[in-house]
């Protein structure tokens, strides 16, 4: 994983894309990587499977949600 202190995960893009775009990307991606709250059992066990598809480890439910993170 290419990662730098300043641009975090967006360092994988190398040079280019501009700081504003990178900052937005880092905000979305860092949130998406974290476990999200499952709407069925309220545990922080939901993981993003694909864009918009989430699966909960605890109750095993697969459900549709936000493309990048759950509210
Ligand atoms: Zn659950």
């Amino acid at each position: 994983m290419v990662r730098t202190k300043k641009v975090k995960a967006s360092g994988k893009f190398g040079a280019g894309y501009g700081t504003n775009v990178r900052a937005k990307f880092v905000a979305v991606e860092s949130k998406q990587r974290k476990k999200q709250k499952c709407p069925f059992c309220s545990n922080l066990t939901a993981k993003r499977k694909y864009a918009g598809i989430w699966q909960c480890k605890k109750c095993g439910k697969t459900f549709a949600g936000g493309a990048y993170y759950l509210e």
Side-chain angles (χ1 to χ4, degrees), residues 28-42:
V28 169
E29 205 190 58
S30 61
K31 209 172 170 185
Q32 128 189 163
R33 266 186 235 259
K34 282 179 192 143
K35 293 217 168 85
Q36 307 284 328
K37 194 174 177 182
C38 170
F40 299 100
C41 63
S42 299

Side-chain angles (χ1 to χ4, degrees), residues 38-43 45-46 55-61 63:
C38 170
F40 299 100
C41 63
S42 299
N43 287 299
T45 43
Q55 189 165 39
C56 175
K57 240 172 104 182
K58 190 101 179 170
C59 60
K61 282 193 167 81
F63 52 94

Side-chain angles (χ1 to χ4, degrees), residues 3 7 10 23-24 26-27 30 33 41 43 46 52-55 58 62 65-67 71:
R3 194 180 278 261
V7 294
S10 65
K24 278 180 191 160
V26 168
S30 61
R33 266 186 235 259
C41 63
N43 287 299
I53 307 295
W54 296 78
Q55 189 165 39
K58 190 101 179 170
T62 306
E71 290 305 324

